[in-house]
Amino acid sequence: VITYNACLSALEKSNEADKGFELLAQMRSQRLEPDLITYSALISACEKGNNVEKALELFAEVKQRALEPDTILYSSLVSTCEKGNRAKEALEVLEEMQLRGKQPTTVTYSALISACEKG
């Protein structure tokens, strides 16, 4: 999984989300379970590709698999919602983040403010 995560992070940085999802499918075909790092990289890739719906699907999958989202994953999702002009969802993510005892960062708040500015 570590090697896949490194590749996913590189693909996210090079704005190649589609290849990231192909890699996720390959991981699953080899019966490797994605972890939080996997999901964080893919959600960040969704941000760059402005694919809020896919990011929200990934987040739902994280919760379905009973993984505990961390601050990085939550912040990535808030940023993705901001890029997609989805202030309501960004606020909901922040609320859940706080309810689960995760501390928002300046990155989280900056993305949230920007999302609210956009409406």
Side-chain angles (χ1 to χ4, degrees):
V1 173
I2 294 170
T3 303
Y4 278 101
N5 287 344
C7 292
L8 285 168
S9 291
L11 290 171
E12 176 262 323
K13 287 174 180 41
S14 63
N15 201 17
E16 297 189 61
D18 291 340
K19 289 183 182 176
F21 288 105
E22 289 173 17
L23 201 56
L24 177 63
Q26 185 180 351
M27 279 179 72
R28 289 180 171 150
S29 73
Q30 294 180 7
R31 298 176 193 218
L32 295 172
E33 291 295 325
D35 61 14
L36 283 180
I37 296 168
T38 310
Y39 286 108
S40 291
L42 288 168
I43 288 171
S44 289
C46 288
E47 174 189 353
K48 291 183 176 159
N50 200 17
N51 192 345
V52 179
E53 292 304 320
K54 189 65 177 171
L56 291 170
E57 287 174 23
L58 289 166
F59 186 62
E61 190 176 313
V62 167
K63 293 193 291 186
Q64 231 175 14
R65 294 194 48 229
L67 294 173
E68 182 65 32
D70 60 10
T71 301
I72 294 168
L73 191 138
Y74 278 119
S75 295
S76 294
L77 188 56
V78 170
S79 292
T80 303
C81 290
E82 179 267 325
K83 294 280 190 253
N85 297 322
R86 305 280 285 270
K88 180 181 176 231
E89 286 89 342
L91 286 165
E92 289 169 357
V93 171
L94 177 69
E95 184 178 332
E96 179 179 328
M97 180 181 191
Q98 292 174 320
L99 286 172
R100 290 183 176 245
K102 304 301 181 206
Q103 191 67 21
T105 65
T106 54
V107 172
T108 313
Y109 285 122
S110 293
L112 187 65
I113 291 167
S114 180
C116 292
E117 283 178 340
K118 293 177 180 180

